[in-house]
């Protein structure tokens, strides 16, 4: 599987490629709006991508709207615990802007909201241990992602990518039972803006139904809060009931849906945005 490219353009961080068929402005550099808008348009024209997706501050909304972007999700307190982030998109294929299976997606969301106020147990069963992952765990982590996901928007099937990301701003948390890796999740920490994306949740099918995603989420939130992170958010599969229920149960608020945004589990899926102040 060939992954999309991640690069810096000025002070912006951008992912683009045909796997997700998009340009994704992962981190926007304030004051560089016209430049990144032009760069994204040039990539789309050259490569034929059907979507541009960007996380931008509310103060830049008008600039992006004039360039043809629409707001698909909103996350308050995203930048430094104060300014709102808009998850904005621009489409060259209007069909991609229309989510498929909307009745199913609405039912998943309604079902998830039923878990509001739930207090899941975060006690680990006997024999299981939660810990930080280290480079020596990378092979097992990549193998678990390959087991759980047919496709994934980032190259997590590659142990070297896992090891490299550990050296940067990504922190992995794992649950083991002896030598077996039961579950994993990660924190992508944005120290500058004091937020964290809690993401990359996967549980070995042998150990599902034990609430490990919620246990990992609680552990990551606790550590991030101690380190001064002010907001946690996630971009979760809109079609997958369990992960949406986990975030509602943990007190997250719904920010919006990103239609046909991500190549995951073998197809292009819509994603729900959830957020919580820490």
């Amino acid at each position: 599987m060939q992954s999309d490219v991640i690069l810096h353009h000025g002070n912006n961080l951008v992912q683009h490629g045909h796997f997700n068929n998009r340009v994704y402005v992962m981190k926007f550099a304030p004051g560089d709006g016209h430049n990144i808008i032009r760069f994204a348009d040039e990539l789309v024209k050259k490569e034929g991508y059907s979507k541009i997706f960007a996380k931008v501050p509310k103060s830049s909304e008008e600039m992006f709207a004039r360039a043809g972007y629409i707001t698909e999700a909103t996350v308050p307190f995203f930048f430094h615990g104060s300014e709102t982030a808009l998850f904005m998109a621009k489409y060259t294929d209007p069909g991609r802007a229309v989510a498929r299976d909307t009745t199913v997606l609405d039912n998943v969301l309604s079902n998830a909201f039923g878990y509001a106020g739930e207090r899941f147990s975060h006690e680990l069963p006997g024999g299981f241990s939660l810990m930080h992952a280290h480079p020596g765990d990378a092979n097992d982590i990549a193998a678990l992602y390959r087991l759980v996901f047919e496709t994934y928007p980032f190259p997590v099937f590659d142990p070297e990518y896992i090891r490299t990301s550990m050296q940067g701003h990504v922190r992995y948390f794992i649950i083991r039972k002896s030598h077996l890796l039961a579950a994993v999740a990660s924190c992508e920490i944005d120290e500058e803006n004091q937020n964290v994306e809690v993401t990359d949740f996967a549980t070995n099918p042998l150990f599902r139904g034990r609430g490990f995603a919620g246990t990992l989420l609680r552990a990551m939130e606790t550590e991030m809060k101690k380190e001064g992170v002010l907001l946690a958010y996630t971009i979760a599969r809109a079609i997958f009931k369990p992960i949406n229920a986990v975030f509602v149960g943990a007190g997250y608020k719904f920010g919006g849906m990103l239609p046909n945004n991500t190549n995951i589990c073998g197809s292009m899926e819509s994603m729900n945005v959830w957020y919580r102040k820490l």
Side-chain angles (χ1 to χ4, degrees):
M1 180 185 74
Q2 185 165 352
S3 301
D4 293 345
V5 175
I6 299 175
L7 54 82
H8 284 91
H9 181 73
N11 292 320
N12 302 280
L13 184 64
V14 177
Q15 182 203 46
H16 75 95
H18 292 281
F19 183 72
N20 289 289
N21 191 18
R22 71 181 183 192
V23 178
Y24 176 15
V25 183
M26 300 170 64
K27 190 169 183 182
F28 168 66
D32 203 19
H34 293 295
N35 182 32
I36 195 62
I37 288 170
R38 182 171 57 252
F39 178 68
D41 283 343
E42 290 170 353
L43 282 175
V44 165
K45 184 176 181 180
K46 178 182 177 183
E47 301 291 344
Y49 303 138
S50 58
K51 182 173 186 175
I52 307 172
F53 167 47
K55 295 181 295 199
V56 303
K58 173 73 173 175
S59 55
S60 297
E61 177 182 14
E62 185 177 346
M63 180 192 310
F64 279 81
R66 286 199 306 266
Y69 287 72
I70 58 173
T71 298
E72 295 185 329
T74 303
V75 178
F77 319 113
F78 190 90
F79 298 100
H80 309 288
S82 57
E83 186 169 8
T84 295
L86 304 179
F87 289 38
M88 303 188 76
K90 180 178 180 179
Y91 295 90
T92 58
D93 175 6
R96 186 166 177 177
V98 181
R100 303 184 303 275
D101 302 321
T102 53
T103 300
V104 175
L105 299 181
D106 288 345
N107 287 339
V108 170
L109 201 56
S110 296
N111 176 269
F113 284 131
Y115 287 85
E118 288 281 341
R119 292 294 178 264
F120 298 107
S121 171
H122 299 287
E123 296 279 332
L124 281 175
F128 290 88
S129 301
L130 190 154
M131 64 198 77
H132 288 125
H134 299 285
D137 298 305
N139 286 342
D140 287 348
I141 292 172
L144 180 55
Y145 285 134
R146 289 195 299 270
L147 176 66
V148 171
F149 298 103
E150 182 179 345
T151 58
Y152 206 76
F154 292 87
V156 295
F157 299 165
D158 178 5
E160 191 54 40
Y161 171 82
I162 301 292
R163 280 188 284 269
T164 300
S165 64
M166 287 179 179
Q167 296 168 10
H169 63 283
V170 181
R171 199 173 303 172
Y172 294 85
F173 290 65
I174 57 175
I175 295 174
R176 283 193 177 276
K177 183 175 185 181
S178 185
H179 66 286
L180 292 175
L181 182 60
V184 62
S186 77
C187 293
E188 296 187 15
I189 306 162
D190 182 347
E191 293 181 356
E192 179 185 357
N193 291 305
Q194 296 173 281
N195 68 53
V196 61
E197 182 177 2
V198 284
T199 185
D200 301 334
F201 289 82
T203 299
N204 188 312
L206 294 172
F207 302 112
R208 286 180 181 160
R210 299 172 186 255
F212 285 161
T215 302
L216 288 165
L217 178 59
R218 175 64 62 86
M220 293 191 294
E221 287 179 336
T222 299
E223 184 159 313
M224 293 298 102
K225 189 174 182 178
K226 288 179 181 177
E227 296 183 14
V229 174
L230 301 176
L231 178 113
Y233 74 99
T234 195
I235 302 174
R237 297 176 61 210
I239 198 73
F240 191 55
K241 292 180 181 180
I243 196 63
N244 287 279
V246 164
F247 282 100
V248 173
Y252 282 65
K253 295 182 179 179
F254 181 64
M257 187 185 70
L258 315 175
N260 303 309
N261 192 69
T262 303
N263 188 336
I264 189 168
C265 290
S267 65
M268 197 68 71
E269 292 194 11
S270 298
M271 308 294 283
N272 285 338
V273 176
W274 300 96
Y275 67 92
R276 178 174 179 260
K277 289 183 73 175
L278 298 181

